[in-house]
Amino acid sequence: MYRTFTYFLVLIVMSILLSCKGNEQEPTVPPNILFIMSDDHAYQAISAYSDQLIQTPNIDRLAKEGMLFTNASVTNSICAPSRATILTGKHTHLNGKINNIMPFDTTQITFPQLFQKAGYQTAMFGKLHFGNNPKGVDDFMILPGQGSYINPEFITQKGDTTIIGYVTDIITDITLEWLDKKRDATKPFMLMYMHKAPHRAWWPSAEKMKEFSKKSFPEPETLFDDYTNRGTAAKTAEMNLLYHMDYTQDSKIMPETIEEMGVVEPVIPPIIFNGEYALKQSRNRMTKEQKALYDPLLDAINADFKANWKGMTNKEKMSWKYQRYMQDYLACISSVDDNVGRVLNYLDENDLTNNTMVVYTSDQGFYLGEHGWFDKRFIYDESFKTPLLIRWPNQIKAGITNEEMVQNLDFAQTFLEAAQVKAPADMQGESLMPLLKGDSQGWNREAVYYHYYEYPGWHSVKRHYGIVTKDYKLAHFYYDIDEWELYDRKKDVHEMKNVYGDPEYKDVVVELKKRLAKLRVKYGDSDELQQKYLDMTKNTNSNISESELKKPKH
Ligand code: SGN
Ligand code: CA
């Protein structure tokens, strides 16, 4: 009641103010916010960024009809920490969610709570991956932990439920149902629509698997990278397609085939020993009817493997794995794109397009074979950068590309400013509203800060922090080793040469170290905090504890 009253009051005051200004461009009602986030969606796999790998016509609409950010990045390239930064508007070292395992302190203010307080209708559907339920949403249905692709379980306010079908379609069905039937249409909404796809172990819908397992894709230039001229961290990371991508859960080779062919590589992490994990996760969850759709497809993949694998060189195995990886990963994305299309159509059909800010992003970037890798975590470009497309026809001109260094840290304040809700003073980002309105004068960020913590853990990427400017990237790998890396982003776009020790860059290093120290002070990070988080996580290893996350507390 009180909220409805506040909302109408805001509406009346805004209408009076706007009619006084006589500006037809301004919205007369607060905008809706539709936040769409996928999990591990690399910008390389959105055709608005590059059409080398896939066509994503629906996601591309947001760029055509809005703004495409080509230098958007995350502050810590991993799932739950990225989500914590988005929700709190704070760097990891302040919100405390340093990795996927540590609990999130739920006494912190998250931006949906502020929307709810301001009279918005709020909801969240899909993957949160937090270990606790969201605050500040009137309605939610979230996957437990990483969730399942096939016949997923959901945690809801009314208890747990399992829905038969494919996760990307189901999350969309739930989202559309809320938009159409559940919300109060007299109020503006802030809706978080968050996909599980295309997270590992990539499992497409049967229809898309059929389509994509016939395709082949261009290899990235750096697929056969041997990490020469890089530091220890790149050399010791465990995310190489040849050595760490699993034939069973990742490439969909059945344990029987593995045995028959005598495959002993790669070294499979214990949790997915014998391929149990993914095949259990997806194939073993299927109904008889679903199995009947998938099995001929899996048989064809296995037959191809049996016919070709034995005679392959390592290089050929790498190429084979890359193709299998891209077929499944991109097939998952194709479903995301179709489903984003369904939601955008709904907005069109219900006259909601013009005054809804639609945001499409990912919780981080991802390696699609660049440097021979899959996964994320590093400050290097493919995982540091993240896709970001924003459309709001009432405020943003169509078809604009923006190259400024924006971050997921900025989202909360952007949404709050769009809705004219005051952001708490301790949020650390900056609202993107000036950029969205075409005012780059009102934006003067020249460097961003990054800090990754989940080590020891999956994929063995060592802890590091760093500064990124448009020209350079300086990173300090401080645990286990004490190594600095510097990349010249203009001359070495693929980040193949660490020039930290190169005398030519001596002055650049001195200057960047000063700027990095200043950034750490500005954002409140320090050696002491770093040590505190090291001590806190001394005995944790995400390889082991990830499964414990599966069941969030209610
Ligand atoms: C799982 C994956 C990893 C992935 C982490 C974190 N392994 O552990 O490849 O890096 O999730 O991903 S898997 O064998 O289970 O597929 S995150 O997006 O949740 O941070
Ligand atoms: Ca992720």
Side-chain angles (χ1 to χ4, degrees):
M1 184 62 195
Y2 171 72
R3 270 193 219 134
T4 317
F5 176 72
T6 320
Y7 167 68
F8 281 114
L9 197 68
V10 169
L11 208 68
I12 291 162
V13 172
M14 273 183 73
S15 309
I16 294 169
L17 286 175
L18 293 171
S19 60
C20 294
K21 267 168 77 188
N23 183 348
E24 284 170 16
Q25 290 297 304
E26 296 287 330
T28 50
V29 287
N32 304 304
I33 311 284
L34 171 57
F35 178 75
I36 313 175
M37 185 158 78
S38 296
D39 196 344
D40 294 358
H41 191 168
Y43 56 88
Q44 309 91 295
I46 293 180
S47 42
Y49 286 95
S50 159
D51 58 7
Q52 289 281 299
L53 293 173
I54 190 173
Q55 289 299 324
T56 50
N58 296 297
I59 298 172
D60 289 8
R61 264 191 74 186
L62 301 176
K64 273 198 207 104
E65 297 164 15
M67 193 172 271
L68 176 79
F69 287 87
T70 54
N71 265 311
S73 64
V74 294
T75 61
N76 179 0
S77 182
I78 184 158
C79 187
S82 166
R83 288 153 205 263
T85 291
I86 289 170
L87 288 170
T88 60
K90 289 181 188 165
H91 271 279
T92 301
H93 57 268
L94 292 195
N95 70 46
K97 184 80 180 137
I98 59 165
N99 58 28
N100 280 342
I101 311 305
M102 298 292 287
F104 177 70
D105 170 5
T106 55
T107 62
Q108 301 184 78
I109 296 292
T110 58
F111 82 80
Q113 290 164 273
L114 303 170
F115 272 87
Q116 193 178 48
K117 219 167 145 196
Y120 266 69
Q121 290 267 287
T122 56
M124 180 189 286
F125 302 113
K127 180 173 170 184
L128 177 62
H129 191 194
F130 239 33
N132 55 268
N133 293 338
K135 277 191 166 174
V137 288
D138 307 329
D139 200 354
F140 71 84
M141 267 178 99
I142 55 166
L143 300 164
Q146 298 279 12
S148 303
Y149 275 106
I150 304 291
N151 307 337
E153 287 112 16
F154 285 89
I155 298 166
T156 80
Q157 279 151 321
K158 295 188 195 120
D160 296 358
T161 178
T162 299
I163 304 180
I164 300 296
Y166 185 65
V167 71
T168 308
D169 301 333
I170 297 170
I171 294 171
T172 311
D173 295 344
I174 298 169
T175 300
L176 287 173
E177 196 190 347
W178 185 82
L179 275 172
D180 203 43
K181 301 204 172 70
K182 294 197 173 157
R183 75 191 165 102
D184 175 351
T186 64
K187 294 182 186 176
F189 62 80
M190 196 292 294
L191 170 59
M192 303 183 83
Y193 162 48
M194 312 210 285
H195 285 292
K196 166 186 172 55
H199 192 273
R200 193 187 184 202
W202 312 284
W203 200 283
S205 69
E207 185 199 357
K208 297 288 183 187
M209 191 187 256
K210 190 169 182 190
E211 181 189 342
F212 278 75
S213 55
K214 294 194 191 91
K215 295 189 185 214
S216 72
F217 301 93
E219 291 178 351
E221 259 178 63
T222 59
L223 181 63
F224 299 100
D225 193 351
D226 63 2
Y227 317 113
T228 312
N229 296 324
R230 250 61 50 72
T232 307
K235 294 184 175 98
T236 54
E238 294 175 357
M239 46 198 240
N240 181 280
L241 268 74
L242 181 63
Y243 298 111
H244 309 106
M245 184 168 270
D246 178 32
Y247 279 111
T248 48
Q249 79 147 12
D250 297 329
S251 308
K252 321 266 182 304
I253 303 304
M254 305 305 274
E256 305 86 80
T257 316
I258 296 285
E259 208 169 302
E260 188 189 322
M261 303 290 290
V263 182
V264 288
E265 66 211 56
V267 182
I268 302 168
I271 234 178
I272 50 169
F273 197 69
N274 277 344
E276 276 292 287
Y277 188 63
L279 296 173
K280 229 189 202 132
Q281 266 286 305
S282 291
R283 188 171 175 277
N284 296 1
R285 295 180 64 84
M286 291 175 192
T287 61
K288 245 169 106 189
E289 292 73 26
Q290 289 167 331
K291 271 199 179 123
L293 291 175
Y294 279 99
D295 278 353
L297 306 169
L298 294 171
D299 287 347
I301 292 166
N302 279 259
D304 171 71
F305 182 80
K306 279 189 201 170
N308 296 306
W309 185 76
K310 272 231 162 101
M312 284 183 193
T313 59
N314 272 354
K315 210 171 165 208
E316 286 163 345
K317 283 179 184 165
M318 183 81 162
S319 295
W320 184 90
K321 277 186 158 180
Y322 169 74
Q323 294 300 336
R324 277 276 49 251
Y325 169 33
M326 282 302 93
Q327 288 165 353
D328 289 344
Y329 179 91
L330 296 169
C332 289
I333 284 173
S334 185
S335 283
V336 170
D337 188 64
D338 289 353
N339 278 290
V340 166
R342 289 173 64 200
V343 175
L344 297 183
N345 286 345
Y346 181 88
L347 298 183
D348 290 344
E349 285 154 15
N350 290 278
D351 203 18
L352 288 165
T353 299
N354 285 345
N355 204 28
T356 299
M357 176 194 262
V358 183
V359 178
Y360 187 88
T361 191
S362 169
D363 58 345
Q364 13 64 209
F366 212 71
Y367 295 94
L368 304 184
E370 297 89 356
H371 304 289
W373 285 332
F374 62 101
D375 216 71
K376 53 253 178 181
R377 299 156 192 274
F378 276 113
I379 194 173
Y380 310 138
D381 263 12
E382 290 82 0
S383 45
F384 162 72
K385 283 169 60 167
T386 196
L388 180 63
L389 303 87
I390 307 184
R391 181 188 80 177
W392 179 11
N394 272 357
Q395 290 285 318
I396 308 172
K397 281 206 186 115
I400 311 280
T401 298
N402 188 298
E403 294 176 356
E404 295 299 334
M405 301 187 64
V406 303
Q407 289 201 289
N408 57 352
L409 182 69
D410 304 319
F411 293 172
Q413 280 151 279
T414 304
F415 306 156
L416 291 167
E417 188 182 340
Q420 306 200 12
V421 178
K422 202 172 176 320
D426 61 353
M427 281 191 173
Q428 296 187 300
E430 278 169 60
S431 164
L432 305 180
M433 280 310 293
L435 293 180
L436 294 171
K437 287 182 170 176
D439 170 19
S440 39
Q441 303 284 309
W443 183 266
N444 56 9
R445 182 184 285 157
E446 287 180 348
V448 297
Y449 182 62
Y450 183 89
H451 197 153
Y452 170 79
Y453 300 80
E454 194 176 279
Y455 180 89
W458 279 102
H459 304 296
S460 279
V461 172
K462 294 187 194 295
R463 295 178 189 225
H464 57 293
Y465 62 84
I467 177 174
V468 182
T469 68
K470 280 191 174 165
D471 294 336
Y472 299 104
K473 188 176 284 182
L474 176 76
H476 184 202
F477 292 84
Y478 60 87
Y479 175 63
D480 251 13
I481 52 174
D482 181 9
E483 288 181 19
W484 288 83
E485 295 183 17
L486 173 70
Y487 294 93
D488 185 328
R489 302 186 80 201
K490 291 269 153 71
K491 286 196 189 146
D492 176 22
V493 287
H494 295 310
E495 300 169 314
M496 297 294 280
K497 193 167 182 214
N498 170 18
V499 291
Y500 181 76
D502 184 336
E504 240 182 71
Y505 288 88
K506 208 173 137 227
D507 296 344
V508 174
V509 167
V510 171
E511 175 62 24
L512 280 175
K513 279 195 175 171
K514 271 193 217 146
R515 290 173 72 181
L516 173 60
K518 271 197 197 150
L519 267 189
R520 274 166 67 90
V521 171
K522 172 180 166 186
Y523 288 126
D525 201 2
S526 62
D527 289 349
E528 291 71 38
L529 262 181
Q530 224 161 271
Q531 189 57 45
K532 180 185 119 185
Y533 288 127
L534 261 172
D535 294 341
M536 274 166 81
T537 51
K538 239 189 193 120
N539 300 317
T540 62
N541 178 335
S542 72
N543 282 353
I544 295 157
S545 2
E546 178 108 351
S547 57
E548 286 161 23
L549 251 185
K550 285 211 154 164
K551 200 89 190 135
K553 284 179 232 85
H554 284 259

